[in-house]
Every structure is written in C-alpha cells, then in structure tokens.
Amino acid sequence: MTPPAPLRVLALCLGNICRSPVAEALLRRELAAAGVEAVVDSAGTGDWHVGRPADPRSIDVARRHGLRLNGKARQLLRRDFADYDVILAMDSQNAAEARALAGTPGAASRVRLMRDFDPIAPGADVPDPYMGGKAGFESMFEMLERSAKEFARQAAAPEAEAQADRI
Ligand code: 4NP
C-alpha cells in the first residue's frame, strides 16, 4: 500500500500578516503532533503587505506559545486551488473572496472556515485583530489553537480512507 500523499493546507486571511501566519504555524505543529504528514502555507486575499513579515503582535503571541513565524506575506493565487487540498479561511469574507477566485465549483468547495473546526463556536469568524490591542491577539491565538487541534484530530481520523475525506 502506498502511503497517503501529504495533506496540503493553506491558511487564508486578508493581509497574511496577523491571523493566517499564526494559523499556519499552529496547523503545522498540530498536524505533526497528530502524525499527519502535511504541507502548510498561508496567504492573504489582499496584496498590501506582500513580501512583509508577520505583524509584530502576531510574532509576539506566537513566540509566547513556543512558535516562530518566519514567513513573508503573499497573495492568494488561483493556482493555490490546484496546489492545496483545503483552504482554511479566517472569516466569511475571506472565504467568499476565495470562492469567487476559485473558478470551478470543485475548487470553491476546497474553501472552509478555520472555525468550522472550533468546538466552542463552529462556523464563527476569527475576528481581524489588526486595529485592536494585544488582548485581541491572545484571544485570536486561543481560537486558532482550538481549531487547529480539532482540524488535526479529524485529519488523523483512522476511518479516513482518502485525503479528501479527511477534512
Ligand atoms: P490579517 O489582518 O488579515 O489577519 O493579516 C489584517 C492585516 C492588515 C490589514 C487588514 C487585516 N490591512 O488592512 O492592512
């Protein structure tokens, strides 16, 4: 039996500097902890911050929880729908923009909300913390961590037979 191909996961927000870089790092950690081989990246629907590192407040909250953010912001591309099995949008606006870019219903169906996997508030948005204070980044981290753990748990579920059925 051939091993399953790595699960390819893209975290998506607006600027790719606050929410999705933290989601990316958490998904990478939780999928590895669950024993799921995965390729994880992040992107933004907007292009304002392309090439920049994550927001210092996201770097800080991640570091306090033992995670390093090393990526540079990039914009979502139509090609990402071929390159990733699932695109985890931080809020419903990010999801709508991604689905509009997807091109086909099959590609659009790869877009899910990150908090579809939050056991406490399934389907909620991860609020954009950009204009707020430090507390918003801490609560953002908590909702992302819960969601990433549940996503990884489902991805590792032994009854899953095909990559696409895992999520
Ligand atoms: P993010 O936060 O989508 O979580 O990266 C934002 C960062 C920057 C902007 C908006 C949201 N902005 O408008 O520049």
Side-chain angles (χ1 to χ4, degrees):
M1 211 175 88
T2 50
L7 180 64
R8 304 166 302 169
V9 185
L10 184 69
L12 180 72
C13 64
L14 178 58
N16 193 206
I17 56 168
C18 294
R19 292 166 290 176
S20 61
V22 177
E24 175 191 344
L26 277 165
L27 286 161
R28 195 174 286 122
R29 179 170 81 183
E30 297 302 331
L31 285 162
V36 178
E37 194 191 345
V39 173
V40 185
D41 194 12
S42 65
T45 58
D47 66 358
W48 310 284
H49 302 283
V50 167
R52 303 229 186 99
D55 187 287
R57 297 164 295 177
S58 282
I59 292 175
D60 187 53
V61 75
R63 186 174 48 221
R64 283 189 278 111
H65 292 272
L67 293 166
R68 276 173 189 274
L69 306 185
N70 298 318
K72 299 271 191 290
R74 73 167 179 91
Q75 192 171 22
L76 180 69
L77 306 167
R78 182 168 280 178
R79 200 186 59 224
D80 288 319
F81 291 90
D83 289 346
Y84 291 91
D85 301 305
V86 59
I87 296 177
L88 290 174
M90 298 299 120
D91 65 36
S92 55
Q93 192 179 333
N94 309 148
E97 291 202 21
R99 289 186 184 115
L101 181 69
T104 67
S109 73
R110 295 181 166 210
V111 180
R112 303 284 305 272
L113 285 174
M114 183 75 183
R115 292 186 80 190
D116 283 347
F117 300 91
D118 184 348
I120 290 183
D125 287 344
V126 181
D128 182 354
Y130 186 61
M131 301 301 272
K134 195 171 163 178
F137 282 79
E138 187 60 43
S139 71
M140 170 196 80
F141 189 92
E142 288 167 13
M143 54 187 84
L144 290 177
E145 186 175 43
R146 284 196 303 272
S147 305
K149 281 182 189 294
E150 176 59 16
F151 180 84
R153 194 191 67 76
Q154 291 188 27
E159 66 271 22
E161 290 185 0
Q163 203 73 259
D165 295 336
R166 290 198 206 171
I167 39 107

